[in-house]
Amino acid sequence: MLRFRTLEAGEIYAALVTASDEKTATVDLGSATGTLSLSDSQWARKYNPTSHTPARSGCGTSSPGDIVLVRVVAGRVSPRERRRAGKPLALSLEQVPRVQGALVAIDPVTRGAGPGRGYDFALSQFKPAIQARRQPGSAFKPFVWGAAVDSRRYTPATLVYDTPDLYRDPWTGKEWKPQNFERDEYDGPDAAGVGAGPLQEHGLGQAVDALGWTR
């Protein structure tokens, strides 16, 4: 079902390319026209891994008859006023990203959480911040060190040793040997409150072992 959308700065619309030259492309948004500049569209040129491939014509990305996504660039005059005056809108080329992310912002004072969503809820109602099955990476490390400081067994001055260690799971009996991103490289002793030592997997493993696996 088609629906009418008013022109707003910062919003994304589908547009028809009507003309193209070496510097600009002209597009039709139905109720208004706009221009895309070469300088704002070079990122979309065809990728060549062996050599630089500058855009040479049609903003390097589009030809007459193409349907492209554009964003209305904010200016001193609103898009609707420019449309009424018959002036073209300043636009930037957009695309729907293949990769989307998630963000959860937490206020340490109020403990209020604000999960970020994906690119466009109209395209997908999937909420990656709370529905995605993802690897936490190093995001859990502050929680481990927070528990370590809370236990009062660690302070910012406690020495943490970034050295190779081996741990055994008390329930399964399986062995676990933490590995840093830089394999076979170790920083030795470092204070828990400074330096990279506490952020390495080995220093973290020592904290977990000292606190107990059930904590």
Side-chain angles (χ1 to χ4, degrees), residues 128-140:
I130 59 176
Q131 294 177 319
R133 294 183 178 181
R134 60 199 179 280
Q135 295 288 344
S138 296
F140 73 98

Side-chain angles (χ1 to χ4, degrees), residues 147-203:
V149 173
D150 185 62
S151 71
R152 298 192 178 184
R153 300 185 64 176
Y154 280 78
T155 72
T158 302
L159 284 181
V160 177
Y161 293 86
D162 180 24
T163 55
D165 296 298
L166 183 67
Y167 302 93
R168 188 182 301 277
D169 189 311
W171 294 279
T172 65
K174 293 183 179 180
E175 294 180 343
W176 172 52
K177 184 179 181 181
Q179 290 188 343
N180 295 331
F181 179 80
E182 300 84 1
R183 294 178 181 272
D184 301 322
E185 293 184 15
Y186 308 99
D187 295 331
D190 204 348
V194 296
L199 300 179
Q200 301 283 29
E201 304 301 327
H202 298 279

Side-chain angles (χ1 to χ4, degrees), residues 5 7 11-19 25-36 61-72 89-95:
R5 294 179 59 198
L7 289 173
E11 293 297 317
I12 297 176
Y13 305 88
L16 171 67
V17 179
T18 57
T26 302
V27 302
D28 184 358
L29 293 108
S31 61
T33 61
T35 56
L36 290 167
T61 60
S62 58
S63 302
D66 289 347
I67 301 295
V68 296
L69 291 178
V70 296
R71 184 186 299 273
V72 178
L89 305 179
L91 306 171
S92 62
L93 189 65
E94 293 291 329
Q95 69 174 0

Side-chain angles (χ1 to χ4, degrees), residues 69-152:
L69 291 178
V70 296
R71 184 186 299 273
V72 178
V73 179
R76 294 183 178 179
V77 181
S78 71
R80 282 176 286 184
E81 291 178 353
R82 291 188 66 89
R83 177 181 61 81
R84 294 193 190 101
K87 297 181 179 180
L89 305 179
L91 306 171
S92 62
L93 189 65
E94 293 291 329
Q95 69 174 0
V96 177
R98 292 184 178 180
V99 179
Q100 300 190 34
L103 171 69
V104 178
I106 301 177
D107 189 322
V109 178
T110 65
R111 298 185 181 181
R117 60 187 184 187
Y119 173 74
D120 190 339
F121 190 74
L123 296 177
S124 174
Q125 287 73 52
F126 181 74
K127 300 177 182 178
I130 59 176
Q131 294 177 319
R133 294 183 178 181
R134 60 199 179 280
Q135 295 288 344
S138 296
F140 73 98
K141 292 180 180 179
F143 296 96
V144 174
W145 285 111
V149 173
D150 185 62
S151 71
R152 298 192 178 184

